[in-house]
Structures are given as C-alpha cells and as structure tokens.
Amino acid sequence: MSTVIEVDLGPGHYAHGLEVNGEWMCALNPAVATDERIQALVRRFMAGEGRDCRKCRGCIVGTAQ
C-alpha cells in the first residue's frame, strides 16, 4: 500500500508518483476522488510508471470499479 496525499497539482495535472525511503507515495489532485474518467487516466499513468493501482488499493484509484 502507498501513502497518498491530496494536493492541487495545477490544471491538467492529476497525479504524481514517487518513491520516498523505499516506499511508494502518490500525490493526487482532489478531482481524482470524484471523477471516474480521471481515475482511469491516473491508473494508466501509474501503470506507465510500473505501478499497479489495483494491487496497491491505497486510494480511490485502486479501489474504484
């Protein structure tokens, strides 16, 4: 499971993933919580970074259907 923080990353920027002390951390735009289209975009972005949100399930992106 990752650590997740919610932060306004600016227009059109929905997520940023990084590793801190060997643990994955995700910064998510507040819009991610309510928009399924954005959640799908974030899942694809994280997959491109080598992360599988559905396995992590640390936030709405991983637990959304």
Side-chain angles (χ1 to χ4, degrees):
M1 181 178 290
S2 297
T3 299
V4 178
I5 60 170
E6 192 173 279
V7 62
D8 186 352
L9 299 166
H13 193 124
Y14 301 115
H16 181 75
L18 64 150
E19 197 172 316
V20 177
N21 295 327
E23 304 242 354
W24 192 251
M25 181 175 194
C26 300
L28 300 177
N29 186 301
V32 174
T34 57
D35 190 321
E36 291 179 5
R37 181 188 62 84
I38 296 173
Q39 292 167 13
L41 288 171
V42 170
R43 272 192 296 278
R44 284 196 299 274
F45 168 75
M46 292 297 180
E49 298 290 308
R51 303 298 302 168
D52 185 345
C53 294
R54 297 211 188 252
K55 285 185 180 175
C56 170
R57 302 183 63 81
C59 73
I60 188 68
V61 177
T63 58
Q65 296 299 318

